[in-house]
Amino acid sequence: MKCSAQTSINADLPSPIIESGNFADPADGTLYASVLESPLAVSIPIWPNPAPAGCKDVVTLEWAEVTGSGVGAYVELAQMTFNGPVENFPDTVLYIPVAEALEEDGRYQLRYRIDTYIDTELESAYISIVCDSAPPYKYKVPSSFHLPAKQITIPFFEANDDVFVCVIPDYPDCQRGDVIAYFWRTATRTVEIGRIPVPDDRKVIYTRAQIEAAGNGEFYAEYRLYDKAGNQSQISSSEPINVSMAPRKLTAVKVSSAVGSSSFGSLKIDLVVDGVTINVPADADVYDGEIIRIQWASPQAFNSITIDEPDPSSPLVYKVPMRNVAAHMVSSLADGASFIPVYYEILDGRSLEVLATSSVYGLALTDILATNYPTVQCSHVSGNILSLSSVPVSGTEVSIGVWPFMADDQYINFKLVGLGQDGKNLEVVFFEHKVTAEEVADKKVNATVAKADIEKFKVGVNLYFEGEVTFNNKGYWYKFRPLRANLTN
């Protein structure tokens, strides 16, 4: 789409055209500051009766500055000569050397003039453009915020509706469309808190949640201004603000049935029958309107979970679902880890910002007892004997029944283990599979092992049907109880 600003009325030709993407504000013709750094393309529509063969038309692009006292003299910007004939002529593009031509920021009327081959001068309607290359405050450092206080305490917030309101000092080149980005800085770190249009009252609000999240110490409230053309000021000056607020008391959670200390415990996973119950201490400093969010295991861990809905029994009791438990048994943890972290965060009820984090409770989940896993089954094994003659060419069914914490985000495999025909140890994996929701509902997984795979093993000795399951996306495999069968002809 092409866009032009206001045009004059008594003109012979349509106005020149500047692509709409060059305008920061098409309504008043303000160009982006970045556009002024290189030649600006201007399209000239084909004019009536262009020059025939042997003749020429001359197109001149020009502008005039508009000031409080009126429109100044037009100044030539670019010129192009067209030798006839010109048939089916497309739009002509001329380029304004803005960086060289612009002596002063301001509003300009841009038009073009055609000196035709019959010595007639045609003038176009104009478009109004605004060139603005200077940042707010020009090139000076903006003055520091007007601060409501230079020390922030809990009583300050209680007396001021939990907000710290700073005021942008008045500045001479303030204009509608200016934007402010405001920051909260320490000696080593700067955090952008927000970016908003400069308010009419020039007030900028830091919330208690934002300030509390940064902790205690010496801080600086700073800002940067942007005008609608895209120019940006320097970072403002600032004054030190001392934040001294008593820390919240957020002691570690308790895990039902776990044994240990206040910060570490061990839980026998065989005691988990309906998820793991997490208890937030009754003396935790949580205020009205805030949200408690439980973090179960490291956020990057497979099957970790955050829980912000308490159990119906109590607002301080949270339940970890069964499907999020088994992935965190001790053998499944990353190398060197012996427990998972369990903690809670306090969130602002409106913005959902994290205001504070509790101490961490380290929980070690024991592995499922080997005797609690089911045994692999084979439909053609009878009395621990597998007769090859009874197995059809298509193979035999191998299956496993329900195991603890069975879910559809787990993988299993089946394999044959024994002595090969050459008398050497042989292992044949014939099935690897992601458990489906239907199999969970059926409490069983079926597979088929081909007769040809069984025939790879030596007759007259034991053959083992083995299986494994992984609860943490193939990070660690737990063994099902194997089925032993003597292989016969």
Side-chain angles (χ1 to χ4, degrees), residues 31-100:
L31 295 166
Y32 284 111
S34 58
V35 169
L36 309 180
E37 298 172 0
S38 55
L40 175 62
V42 180
S43 296
I44 309 298
I46 184 61
W47 51 93
N49 303 315
C55 301
K56 65 182 180 180
D57 292 335
V58 178
V59 179
T60 303
L61 191 63
E62 55 190 11
W63 71 7
E65 185 175 8
V66 181
T67 64
S69 57
V71 181
Y74 276 90
V75 176
E76 181 180 315
L77 299 171
Q79 190 176 82
M80 189 178 291
T81 298
F82 295 91
N83 297 306
V86 185
E87 296 175 357
N88 300 319
F89 196 72
D91 285 358
T92 303
V93 178
L94 278 72
Y95 291 87
I96 305 175
V98 185
E100 293 80 13

Side-chain angles (χ1 to χ4, degrees), residues 312-430:
S313 65
S314 168
L316 295 177
V317 174
Y318 295 79
K319 189 66 71 71
V320 179
M322 290 286 281
R323 70 179 294 120
N324 296 94
V325 175
H328 309 291
M329 293 184 292
V330 289
S331 293
S332 292
L333 300 182
D335 291 344
S338 57
F339 61 86
I340 62 168
V342 184
Y343 57 91
Y344 56 100
E345 298 171 315
I346 307 301
L347 278 61
D348 180 82
R350 288 171 293 183
S351 68
L352 301 183
E353 291 181 82
V354 176
L355 306 180
T357 302
S358 75
S359 300
V360 173
Y361 182 85
L363 180 66
L365 275 168
T366 64
D367 288 330
I368 297 169
L369 293 174
T371 54
N372 286 345
Y373 285 104
T375 300
V376 180
Q377 300 296 315
C378 175
S379 60
H380 282 79
V381 172
S382 177
N384 291 110
I385 294 174
L386 175 60
S387 172
L388 275 173
S389 61
S390 70
V391 178
V393 175
S394 58
T396 181
E397 181 184 279
V398 177
S399 64
I400 193 75
V402 64
W403 58 89
F405 301 95
M406 183 180 185
D408 60 5
D409 58 359
Q410 299 163 10
Y411 289 84
I412 69 167
N413 66 46
F414 290 139
K415 54 189 173 182
L416 296 176
V417 179
L419 292 178
Q421 295 284 0
D422 57 1
K424 296 180 179 178
N425 290 331
L426 177 63
E427 180 178 295
V428 175
V429 177
F430 61 88

